[in-house]
Amino acid sequence: LKLILLGLLALGVSACAAADDDEHSDLDLVTVTSGLEHPWGMAFLPDGRVLVTERPGRLRLVERDGGVGPPIAGVPAVEAKGQGGLLDVALDPAFAKNRLVYLSYTEPREGGNGTSVARGVLEGGKLAGVQVIFRQQPAMQGGHHFGSRLVFARDGKLFVTLGERNIGRAHAQTLDNTLGKIVRLNPDGTIPPDNPFVGRQGALPEIWSYGHRNVQGAALHPVTGELWANEHGPKGGDELNRVLPRRNYGW
């Protein structure tokens, strides 16, 4: 549903026209809202409104009638370059009580940029108390392959998908960095003690799986609760994977 609605937001009227031309289509595409600039991630609030990220660096609240609110204040500075910018958004599993919102984004840093995750409390039209809870390492120059999806598991742990920054396979195959990895965190950014590489010399303890290229889709299996993810191949060969701990996915 999340991916379908993102498609609606991005494609709008042109998608509807394409569907009308296909007499075999079983889908009715409806424009939910319009006027957004490169919507990338979305999260439904309990009241049915939707938080939507715009890659240039804006977080918007879309009302149930499709109205788009002004940019929410307090969003961290992003480097909107190439494929980078403000990326995914997710709600804390206890959002109804703590109002915590999580954002993944391309953070400008010394030495370049990198995918980071921050969280803050949604208070009206702003995010308050924003803190960075994770930074992909190392930072580097470039504007490609940032990942990044945010998925909360049923046990409350947070998965973050990370691209290998389009520099090839070597770093995705080593465990001393978070390029081409999926990491698993506690909601405050600390490391769960049961992560698969905790205590292994030369391995970063946040890593859950490795050998990824650029995972830009992820969701929990509705029956098993396991993480599934899809990633782009270099020239075709895209993958849909059941993501298991400690596994090497080949890139």
Side-chain angles (χ1 to χ4, degrees):
L1 177 60
K2 183 173 180 178
L3 294 177
I4 291 173
L5 286 175
L6 269 176
L8 294 177
L9 291 170
L11 298 177
V13 174
S14 62
C16 297
D20 291 341
D21 291 338
D22 185 359
E23 63 182 27
H24 302 295
S25 174
D26 293 325
L27 298 176
D28 292 324
L29 300 184
V30 178
T31 301
V32 176
T33 192
S34 60
L36 296 169
E37 184 179 359
H38 208 128
W40 207 97
M42 61 191 299
F44 282 91
L45 299 180
D47 61 9
R49 295 181 297 168
V50 189
L51 286 171
V52 179
T53 61
E54 293 179 289
R55 203 172 68 184
R58 295 178 294 272
L59 179 65
R60 304 271 193 174
L61 190 59
V62 178
E63 301 291 339
R64 296 180 67 176
D65 64 0
V68 179
I72 292 173
V75 172
V78 309
E79 185 167 327
K81 176 181 180 180
Q83 298 170 353
L86 185 59
L87 302 174
D88 210 6
V89 56
L91 304 183
D92 191 277
F95 175 83
K97 295 181 179 180
N98 61 29
R99 305 288 293 177
L100 281 170
V101 173
Y102 293 72
L103 299 171
S104 65
Y105 61 103
T106 306
E107 181 185 38
R109 305 185 205 151
E110 183 178 353
N113 57 46
T115 300
S116 295
V117 178
R119 70 175 185 174
V121 177
L122 183 63
E123 296 180 348
K126 68 176 183 179
L127 288 180
V130 174
Q131 295 179 319
V132 178
I133 64 166
F134 171 80
R135 287 183 168 98
Q136 183 186 36
Q137 298 294 343
M140 58 181 55
Q141 300 291 337
H144 295 87
H145 294 194
F146 296 97
S148 73
R149 289 295 173 190
L150 303 174
V151 178
F152 277 99
R154 291 177 180 175
D155 63 2
K157 302 297 189 291
L158 175 62
F159 289 110
V160 184
T161 74
L162 301 163
E164 42 59 282
R165 300 305 310 275
N166 199 32
I167 60 172
R169 302 182 182 188
H171 290 290
Q173 286 294 318
T174 60
L175 300 174
D176 59 352
N177 64 78
T178 48
L179 305 177
K181 311 297 192 297
I182 293 177
V183 301
R184 178 176 179 256
L185 309 169
N186 291 317
D188 63 358
T190 57
I191 309 300
D194 59 344
N195 270 9
F197 295 106
V198 168
R200 176 168 167 176
Q201 187 174 2
L204 295 180
E206 59 265 40
I207 295 172
W208 181 257
S209 60
Y210 64 108
H212 298 286
R213 185 170 182 267
N214 191 27
V215 177
Q216 288 194 315
L220 297 185
H221 190 285
V223 176
T224 67
E226 292 175 318
L227 183 69
W228 284 61
N230 67 279
E231 58 185 283
H232 306 292
K235 295 181 179 179
D238 294 359
E239 296 179 357
L240 174 63
N241 292 313
R242 175 180 171 228
V243 182
L244 299 175
R246 198 184 290 268
R247 295 294 180 90
N248 181 347
Y249 286 85
W251 181 250

